[in-house]
Amino acid sequence: MKFGTGIWVVLVAGVCLSCSRQQEMKEIRSGEIWPDTEGNHINAHGGGVMYHEGTYYWYGEHKSDTTCNAMVGVMCYSSTNLTDWKNEGVVFSVADDDSSDIARGCILERPKVVYNSRNDKFVMWFHLELKGQGYAAARAGVAVGDSPVGPFHFLRSERVNAGCLPFDMSQEEVALFDTLDGSHFKEWWTRPWEQAVKEGLFLKRDLEDGQMARDMTLFVDDDGKAYHIYASEENLTLHIAELSNDYRWHTGRFVRVAAGGMNEAPALFKHDGTYWMIASGCTGWAPNEARLFSAKRIWGPWIQHPTPCVGPDAEITFKGQSTYILPVAGRRDAYIFMADSWRPEHPSDGRYIWLPIRFSPDGTPVIEWMPAWSLNYFDKLSVEKQ
Ligand code: DGJ
């Protein structure tokens, strides 16, 4: 899709209040066509952004005009100002081999990339569904590259943490888990079934072969430890799982979050020592109300809060679904909520919702609808805080 840059690029004179310098900043306009530096609508859905050596890299699903299946792979765009994005091309390609896990026509969603300073590699994780199997496989895939702009080489895809129980299960919880018997629950959505889900009905079903891993994100903590956060157990329960030092494997240490809560699209960030997670409910491509959780430790306990969204369409996350929370480099208290406004009938036309996060006096994140804003917004916030 080609669009004149003039349609979108609106220059606003932003005043840098904290330093009294006049700066020109471009606007970020949520829900509209977002042309790259060549005038084509950015094609990086369900994505995430990695900051590396002065440049932001936006990775996301390439979407075709007529199908949500992966016909191309993972796209990357680079930027130094978060508004002008250069197309770096396909950094991870699907394979022209139907026997491959990543055969063209598979489902490859929500890619995220992190940099591993221990071995100077870039590691991509993504949600993978095998070609022709709908959403049954529920695997995590991993690929590695030497450069932020790829190419990324496929390592493997799998269900995760086979044979491992959440390390924080109490003796009582393990005792209840041991008594669960899947054959007692022919019917879903009954009260006893819901209780059994909370106690680990699907965790037990998948214990031997590995846990389901669908919608996902990655999070690297201040100590360099990386975590894979994914919708598991039939999209009913989120897991937070530790990755190995090279970020390529699961260590087997994981916890369940909001068991039976039906959350997906997790996005995680840390602010002033508190971990915050925004997720969505499970309504396919249709938007629903964002969910907010917080914890003092990555392993929880996680507490649920009301939606952080405020303004028109807040109850449907401004027609979007969370995908990532981007810390603005070099700035305190500056985070951008990234979401997708899916268009399954014309997937490549999917739109992006990017909104700044502000913090209420008790530290709770608030995301307010703004059709257009610039990064100067964060200068205003820090002046108000003084
Ligand atoms: C919602 C998920 O968040 C998306 O990534 C995608 O898997 C759709 N469901 C498919 O319906």
Side-chain angles (χ1 to χ4, degrees):
M1 224 187 269
K2 188 105 183 159
F3 293 87
T5 44
I7 291 179
W8 177 81
V9 177
V10 182
L11 284 175
V12 289
V15 183
C16 173
L17 292 173
S18 58
C19 56
S20 307
R21 261 191 298 118
Q22 191 84 16
Q23 282 183 340
E24 280 200 330
M25 288 266 189
K26 286 181 182 169
E27 287 184 332
I28 291 176
R29 303 179 72 89
S30 287
E32 298 189 8
I33 289 291
W34 192 338
D36 65 13
T37 52
E38 288 166 3
N40 300 307
H41 181 44
I42 291 172
N43 197 337
H45 309 269
V49 174
M50 178 192 66
Y51 181 73
H52 185 69
E53 295 181 346
T55 300
Y56 294 94
Y57 297 92
W58 177 355
Y59 303 90
E61 305 158 26
H62 175 280
K63 289 272 191 223
S64 306
D65 294 344
T66 53
T67 172
C68 285
N69 292 10
M71 306 310 288
V72 172
V74 177
M75 300 292 294
C76 175
Y77 293 80
S78 64
S79 173
T80 52
N81 62 8
L82 291 173
T83 53
D84 300 294
W85 291 93
K86 174 174 178 266
N87 184 350
E88 300 286 356
V90 184
V91 293
F92 179 57
S93 181
V94 293
D96 275 319
D97 168 5
D98 266 352
S99 68
S100 166
D101 289 2
I102 52 165
R104 197 178 302 281
C106 66
I107 294 172
L108 196 167
E109 294 180 337
R110 299 186 176 267
K112 305 288 178 301
V113 173
V114 287
Y115 173 64
N116 188 295
S117 58
R118 290 184 185 88
N119 54 22
D120 197 25
K121 300 280 187 205
F122 299 86
V123 185
M124 176 189 292
W125 284 83
F126 50 92
H127 164 206
L128 182 77
E129 299 291 348
L130 301 176
K131 184 174 178 176
Q133 297 185 21
Y135 279 84
R139 292 189 187 190
V142 57
V144 174
D146 291 323
S147 147
V149 292
F152 285 81
H153 302 287
F154 182 54
L155 293 183
R156 68 182 187 286
S157 78
E158 62 192 5
R159 292 272 181 105
V160 301
N161 285 322
C164 304
L165 279 182
F167 73 86
D168 64 340
M169 272 175 99
S170 65
Q171 278 185 351
E172 292 77 29
E173 285 168 332
V174 173
L176 278 173
F177 176 84
D178 283 343
T179 63
L180 289 170
D181 182 347
S183 66
H184 293 168
F185 301 99
K186 298 274 180 265
E187 208 186 322
W188 285 33
W189 310 113
T190 63
R191 277 282 166 81
W193 176 88
E194 280 172 7
Q195 184 58 29
V197 166
K198 286 188 189 146
E199 290 166 6
L201 185 67
F202 295 112
L203 187 73
K204 187 166 188 174
R205 182 195 67 186
D206 294 334
L207 188 60
E208 201 176 313
D209 294 334
Q211 300 299 327
M212 301 175 97
R214 292 203 183 112
D215 277 11
M216 57 140 285
T217 193
L218 297 177
F219 175 73
V220 180
D221 210 339
D222 305 329
D223 60 3
K225 271 205 174 306
Y227 300 87
H228 177 211
I229 301 103
Y230 51 92
S232 192
E233 304 179 37
E234 301 287 356
N235 280 3
L236 292 159
T237 298
L238 293 168
H239 289 183
I240 298 181
E242 185 184 64
L243 296 179
S244 58
N245 284 342
D246 63 6
Y247 301 169
R248 297 176 191 202
W249 299 92
H250 289 84
T251 63
R253 273 171 74 77
F254 73 101
V255 293
R256 303 169 79 214
V257 177
M262 284 189 82
N263 296 291
E264 60 178 6
L268 205 137
F269 71 110
K270 189 178 184 181
H271 179 246
D272 283 351
T274 299
Y275 298 86
W276 293 96
M277 177 158 56
I278 298 177
S280 74
C282 298
T283 51
W285 301 110
N288 55 55
E289 187 170 76
R291 287 107 185 262
L292 177 69
F293 301 86
S294 72
K296 287 286 168 207
R297 294 162 59 246
I298 187 96
W299 297 128
W302 287 84
I303 306 161
Q304 186 161 2
H305 305 263
T307 178
C309 300
V310 177
D313 288 325
E315 72 290 354
I316 49 166
T317 318
F318 319 117
K319 302 182 184 155
Q321 187 185 27
S322 41
T323 183
Y324 197 72
I325 291 155
L326 163 60
V328 179
R331 299 202 61 142
R332 264 189 64 79
D333 306 330
Y335 299 83
I336 299 174
F337 171 69
M338 293 170 54
D340 294 282
S341 199
W342 304 106
R343 303 215 167 177
E345 68 296 341
H346 186 176
S348 61
D349 192 30
R351 307 296 169 88
Y352 309 101
I353 313 282
W354 282 33
L355 292 168
I357 296 180
R358 66 177 160 81
F359 295 91
S360 56
D362 71 356
T364 306
V366 178
I367 305 169
E368 194 168 351
W369 170 252
M370 279 179 257
W373 61 285
S374 78
L375 291 177
N376 285 342
Y377 174 85
F378 294 116
D379 296 318
K380 209 172 120 227
L381 278 188
S382 45
V383 167
E384 279 169 7
K385 215 179 154 190
Q386 281 163 19

